[in-house]
Structures are given as structure tokens and as C-alpha cells.
Amino acid sequence: MLPRTTADISTHWAFGQDIEVLPRIFEDDITLAVMERPLDSALTLAVRAQLGHQRGLEWHWRGAPGQAMQEDLARRLPAPEAGEALVQDIGTIAEAMAYLFSTDTIGIRLRTLDVAMCPRFHVDNLPVRLVSTYAGPAGEWLPEHAVNRAGLGAPRPDKPDIVADPGAIQQIGVGDLALMKGCGWVGNEERGLVHRSPQPASGERRLLLALDPG
């Protein structure tokens, strides 16, 4: 085996355009695995239809992915008559998540947001989460070299800035599927991915999907 270079050691993310990139989250050094994907026209139209309604969306599910989950989601959409592509996409993602983590239970949230949900850089205390932004600005994250972990946690006047290099802030693409390790992943207690929610522009709304296995 060839020795790893310094660049290899510092690179804790994996990006790809195929679903095979997602299992790389199980590698010890990887804290972010992203499947890059554009939203097709049917899915884009379904998303626009939901955001075109004044009523917001706040849907939660915890249980097995499958027909019951998809039917429940369809009933809760602001524009269910135009939501088939979105329901099917979330169903496919949920089933893939259940398969990847060998679980029958998935926690799912789909919500519209017009403010930043978590505007401060932070780490999650859970093992892993999958997030995908269907519309609006997608999440931002920091490479480890740009993080001052002493600044994490509840803000205090004596804490240093979390961001050691503002020019290193990265952003996930709209439509991408991003698996993020948190501090609850065994062996990753001090290396949870540092990330935050961006602030939508005035009058803009995000449509955000989040899934937790188990």
C-alpha cells in the first residue's frame, strides 16, 4: 500500500455523480459524502408547485419508507396534484437510506424555510444525517483546515471565531444528496462536519429535506 500524502489526510470529503459515492461515508477519514445531481424537469416543476402556494410545508415522518410514507407525504403537500415527482424522489431517497444503514426506520423532515434554520456554523450530535435542498440556497460547510473548533458550541464573548479561513467556505449544490457525519458517529466524536444553513434572500424560500437513519 502506498503511503498517504498530506493532501490525502486533509481531504475528508467525497463527491461524485453516482450513488456509489454515498457508502464512502463509512470510511474513517470521510465526514462528508455527496452525490451531485441536477433536478430533472418533472422534479423541478413539482418543487415549484409546492413553493407557489402561500402555505408553508412542515412534514415529519418516522417509520419505514414505503407506500404509507409516500401517501402521507402526498396528503400534506400544498399542491398534491403536482407533487408526484417529489413524492417519488423522496421515497427513493428514503429507501436508499434505509438500505445503506440497514434499518427499517427512517426519520424524515421536509420543510419550507424563509430564514436560516441554523445560521451559525455547528456540528450535529447525531451519528449521520442526509440533507438535500430542492430550492433556495443549499447548505454551507467548512473543510477541517478552515475550522477553529474552540469556537464551536454556545457563543460567548471570549470564544474565537469558528471560521479560520472565510475564503474556504464551501456550498453544496441544489439537488445534491449530502451525507454528513456528526459527533455521534463512533470514532468521529471530535470530527463532526462543521456546517450551517444559509440565509435566503428577501422573499426567497428554501425547500429542505433531511433524513436520519434509525
Side-chain angles (χ1 to χ4, degrees):
M1 181 181 295
L2 295 175
R4 294 188 302 175
T5 66
T6 302
D8 291 330
I9 294 171
S10 65
T11 301
H12 55 91
W13 56 89
F15 283 71
Q17 297 180 349
D18 197 276
I19 198 169
E20 274 75 14
V21 72
L22 295 181
R24 293 200 59 193
I25 199 68
F26 291 101
E27 298 178 19
D28 290 341
D29 293 339
I30 297 297
T31 60
L32 174 66
V34 179
M35 177 183 166
E36 301 168 296
R37 60 168 199 158
L39 301 181
D40 63 31
S41 58
L43 188 49
T44 298
L45 289 173
V47 170
R48 288 177 180 170
Q50 311 316 311
L51 294 178
H53 277 244
Q54 186 174 9
R55 176 170 69 88
L57 173 62
E58 181 78 22
W59 176 72
H60 299 263
W61 174 270
R62 183 169 180 82
Q67 189 65 30
M69 181 272 289
Q70 294 189 36
E71 291 175 355
D72 187 74
L73 171 57
R75 285 192 296 267
R76 296 286 300 277
L77 291 177
E81 71 285 353
E84 181 179 357
L86 180 61
V87 171
Q88 289 182 352
D89 190 62
I90 293 172
T92 299
I93 294 169
E95 290 177 359
M97 189 80 162
Y99 177 81
L100 183 62
F101 290 97
S102 301
T103 180
D104 295 326
T105 302
I106 297 291
I108 312 174
R109 290 180 298 167
L110 181 68
R111 61 176 69 174
T112 51
L113 298 163
D114 55 12
V115 296
M117 184 173 58
C118 301
R120 191 168 186 268
F121 276 110
H122 65 284
V123 296
D124 293 333
N125 290 321
L126 43 72
V128 66
R129 171 169 287 162
L130 185 145
V131 296
S132 186
T133 301
Y134 284 109
E140 297 175 338
W141 61 280
L142 286 172
E144 191 61 30
H145 76 268
V147 176
N148 186 344
R149 288 189 176 266
L152 293 170
R156 294 196 315 264
D158 60 332
K159 278 194 172 182
D161 289 338
I162 298 170
V163 183
D165 179 4
I169 295 174
Q170 304 293 311
Q171 189 165 31
I172 296 165
V174 171
D176 292 355
L177 306 180
L179 277 173
M180 304 184 298
K181 270 184 190 169
C183 293
W185 186 287
V186 175
N188 197 64
E189 291 82 359
E190 305 299 325
R191 296 181 62 248
L193 184 77
V194 178
H195 63 284
R196 71 178 177 187
S197 300
Q199 178 63 48
S202 177
E204 183 181 35
R205 285 200 293 177
R206 302 176 69 205
L207 183 59
L208 178 68
L209 175 70
L211 298 93
D212 302 328

